Amino acid sequence: MFHSRFSDWPIVTRHQGWPRRLAPADGWRALGEALRADDLDLLGLWGDVECVHAAVLERSGAAPCVLSLPVWDGRVPSLGVFHAPAIRLERALQDLHGIEVTALPDPRPWLDHGHWPTRPARDRDRAQAGFEFLPANGPALHQIPVGPVHAGIIEPGHFRFSAHGEMIVRLEQRLGYTHKGVERLLAGCEVRAGHRLAARTSGDSAVAFAWAYSRAVETALGVQVPARATWLRAVMAELERIANHLGDIGAICNDASFALMHNECGMLREQVLRVVDGCFGHRLMMDCLVPGGVIADLDPAGSGRIGRLLDHIDRRMPELIELYDNTASLQDRTVGTGRLGSELAARFACGGVIGRASGRAFDVRCQLPYAPYDVVMPALTVLQEGDVDARVRVRLAEVSASTALIRRLLAGLPAGRSLLCDLPAPAETRESTALVEGFRGDILAYVRVAPDLRIESCHLRDPSWFQWPVLEAAVEGNIVADFPLCNKSFNCSYSGHDL
Amino acid sequence: MRRLLLKNFFARAVTEPVHAQPTPALEPIGAQLQGVIGRRLGRSLAIRQIDAGSCNGCELEIHALANAYYDVERFGVRFVASPRHADVLLVTGPVTWNMREALERTYAATPAPKWVIAAGDCAAGCGVFRDSPACVGAVAKVVPVDLAIRGCPPPPLELLQGLLLLLDAGSRPG
């Protein structure tokens, strides 16, 4: 098993929380084979100056750990050869850190489009010239290029369809348009300020990203956050989940031209954002959650407002579910569309709604619970169908699960402080890795903090890294006109992925 | 569905009145705002939104403009699918190097007369991404900007007031 395979690799003592182990020279091959044998999930793959790190999770028992391979002569061997989900991460590794990944099955640039002025002109030319879309051969195929500027109010990305008449034969995504250099900006930043950048990695998941970042920082520094703060964080995270799920349910139905659901969900979502604004001072709760606790405490009046909001949502949800259930023309579009098989979802360790709609019963809050979810656990909804309909139904169920969760959180909200005044500086460099469940799925954060409380290195991995690739598979054989429906039902992040 | 429609038919409208008023979040930049819009376009404005590298926060609030509370279409403001149909480009995000060309080409594809609104702190002044080597900077570094709406992200009400300011500036003679 896992421990017998890697337990003789030396532990890095400065890494707090999960164990981090140093791989021997041939260790990457052993890791690759374990990933291929399907008893490990890949949670992330990233690099810094000296090492390439892989976060993995044992399938059977919940035992996450980080494995690191020192970079030798600017090169590391590829994990993508063994395990396809690693390929895009390794392409990004080459682009961002200049580390050469040997024998990478797809060596084309990923985030680097050949425009960064910090690169020598020769490298820029190579990145521009080195990108060709994968071919699709056959009679009467045509290509449809879409983006980066899309027709709606959406983030930018390019989709290249090869279609046979109306049917999609191959979709290839090209992402990286919103690459803002988040990790580069975080390096050297004070830990107290880093949450601002973390929250803006993907603005729709501001709470979840700030929480993942803060948890990594707090574990690295060995800080115990006040209980009230963790409970309030969970209230914020669940409100964020409800708002985003409502927006998604409405938008999916709108992409099937069913505007009524869109309007109903839009109103509900707005009501959530207004209550959130009144209670925490920001509609998207940006910068409300910081290392050491939360900035905005909740007074009894705020608790009351949230309680009334939950009553209202709970009253409306059965109506919306009935509306969805009784509209045959809507289900005609969603049932059987964009089907993602459970085998693929498991291999890519697809998190969030997408995984849970395809039979992958994984939720960080249940499998690797962090406070307060160790006490207040959410009800998990797992469906097997893997189509657009299943993803809508999982979201509908999760809205109600979150309202129930918030009620329990508010009822048991501990008294006391909600923010630590200062963070203790560590005697030597400390690091840690954390996993948090956002509305899209599991967000991974790795942070290394120097003794002067500055960040030496930080990596934030959005759940979309393992969801975008399977969208390419899920739309195969669907008609082009159903792509917006499939895409919206996935609702992957562009900004969170591009970093 | 019929029951819900019937219920909505008798329910009170949630749409709220909004008046154009200058707020500190609004920074008109160009002098060309005055007069021209009203003379050329009446009170109809077609907007093409472009995400030039935003974190998606601004997009969420722009989406909210269409919900029943703000109902932006009652003012004659429509979001269109192509820059060729647009009068106004509503740009969000710090312009990344990877999006610069797309923004320039979208601007070039928009027929004159055209106006550019930079929405959000990133678009107005590059925000928290000011020092990033992956970003060109604020929108004004790439295309001329007529109005900036500050905020991270600007709430829908301020976005709406920015749009109304543009329309009202247009309806004044001269």
Side-chain angles (χ1 to χ4, degrees), chain A residues 268-453:
Chain A
L268 262 185
R269 183 186 147 82
E270 179 66 24
Q271 286 154 7
V272 175
L273 297 190
R274 287 182 176 198
V275 170
V276 161
D277 189 23
C279 293
F280 300 111
H282 192 285
R283 285 165 55 93
L284 304 180
M285 292 174 277
M286 269 186 184
D287 309 328
C288 291
L289 198 158
V290 300
V294 292
I295 293 278
D297 205 339
L298 192 65
D299 54 16
S303 282
R305 281 188 77 179
I306 295 177
R308 286 192 295 280
L309 171 75
L310 299 177
D311 290 342
H312 180 62
I313 295 173
D314 285 343
R315 243 190 339 264
R316 294 306 317 278
M317 285 315 285
E319 288 179 6
L320 297 187
I321 292 171
E322 192 195 340
L323 179 64
Y324 182 80
D325 274 340
N326 292 338
T327 308
S329 59
L330 177 58
Q331 288 185 36
D332 184 43
R333 297 288 306 278
T334 58
V335 175
T337 307
R339 200 180 284 274
L340 170 67
S342 56
E343 191 257 339
L344 203 57
R347 177 141 50 102
F348 275 76
C350 282
V353 171
I354 300 168
R356 293 193 282 274
S358 290
R360 183 171 183 260
F362 181 82
D363 185 320
V364 188
R365 296 173 296 168
C366 300
Q367 267 77 29
L368 300 166
Y370 44 99
Y373 297 114
D374 48 354
V375 183
V376 210
M377 219 175 253
L380 201 60
T381 304
V382 181
L383 298 179
Q384 303 296 328
E385 288 79 2
D387 53 1
V388 174
D389 176 63
R391 290 187 281 275
V392 171
R393 288 182 190 279
V394 172
R395 285 187 173 97
L396 285 167
E398 288 189 3
V399 170
S400 301
S402 287
T403 60
L405 208 56
I406 299 174
R407 280 184 206 284
R408 288 161 64 198
L409 288 165
L410 289 179
L413 196 63
R417 286 191 305 166
S418 58
L419 182 65
L420 292 178
C421 297
D422 25 49
L423 298 170
E428 50 179 355
T429 300
R430 287 259 182 265
E431 52 180 47
S432 186
T433 312
L435 205 61
V436 159
E437 184 79 16
F439 87 99
R440 281 197 181 89
D442 49 310
I443 295 170
L444 180 99
Y446 163 83
V447 173
R448 191 162 76 225
V449 187
D452 61 352
L453 281 178

Side-chain angles (χ1 to χ4, degrees), chain A residues 37-214:
Chain A
D38 261 5
D39 42 2
L40 282 182
D41 282 339
L42 184 66
L43 293 181
L45 179 69
W46 70 100
D48 52 35
V49 203
E50 55 211 42
C51 280
V52 170
H53 312 280
V56 292
L57 177 69
E58 200 182 358
R59 276 280 166 82
S60 42
C65 96
V66 180
L67 303 167
S68 307
L69 181 74
V71 179
W72 175 252
D73 200 18
R75 278 191 216 141
V76 290
S78 168
L79 280 181
V81 180
F82 302 97
H83 191 58
I87 294 176
R88 284 187 179 177
L89 290 156
E90 289 183 331
R91 288 166 72 182
L93 196 66
Q94 296 201 127
D95 290 350
L96 296 182
H97 299 282
I99 297 168
E100 189 191 332
V101 181
T102 51
L104 178 59
D106 183 352
R108 293 174 300 164
W110 182 238
L111 299 180
D112 185 0
H113 294 193
H115 299 303
W116 297 335
T118 45
R119 284 289 157 86
R122 200 189 43 196
D123 288 359
R124 288 208 298 267
D125 291 344
R126 199 184 314 146
Q128 279 184 30
F131 199 91
E132 265 178 43
F133 285 96
L134 299 174
N137 297 318
L141 290 185
H142 63 283
Q143 283 203 343
I144 310 170
V146 179
V149 178
H150 296 295
I153 303 168
I154 338 171
E155 299 180 82
H158 183 90
F159 299 113
R160 183 65 59 99
F161 297 96
S162 298
H164 182 254
E166 276 293 298
M167 198 182 73
I168 300 169
V169 174
R170 162 170 256 168
L171 161 67
E172 191 181 358
Q173 299 146 359
R174 190 180 191 195
L175 302 173
Y177 289 94
T178 66
H179 176 73
K180 295 182 276 291
V182 173
E183 291 181 1
R184 180 116 43 131
L185 286 172
L186 275 165
C189 179
E190 277 183 45
V191 283
R192 276 282 196 200
H195 67 276
R196 287 179 54 81
L197 277 160
R200 285 156 185 83
T201 306
S202 185
D204 44 31
S205 306
V207 173
F209 266 99
W211 197 354
Y213 166 82
S214 300

Side-chain angles (χ1 to χ4, degrees), chain B residues 106-174:
Chain B
T106 309
Y107 182 79
T110 310
K114 56 189 162 190
W115 294 269
V116 175
I117 304 177
D121 282 349
C122 291
C126 209
V128 294
F129 301 104
R130 197 171 296 112
D131 301 319
S132 172
C135 297
V136 185
V139 174
K141 276 194 162 178
V142 182
V143 294
V145 170
D146 300 289
L147 174 74
I149 306 173
R150 293 261 174 193
C152 186
L157 199 61
E158 288 188 359
L159 288 165
L160 199 51
Q161 278 169 344
L163 293 173
L164 293 183
L165 188 80
L166 205 64
L167 284 170
D168 279 10
S171 59
R172 279 200 298 271

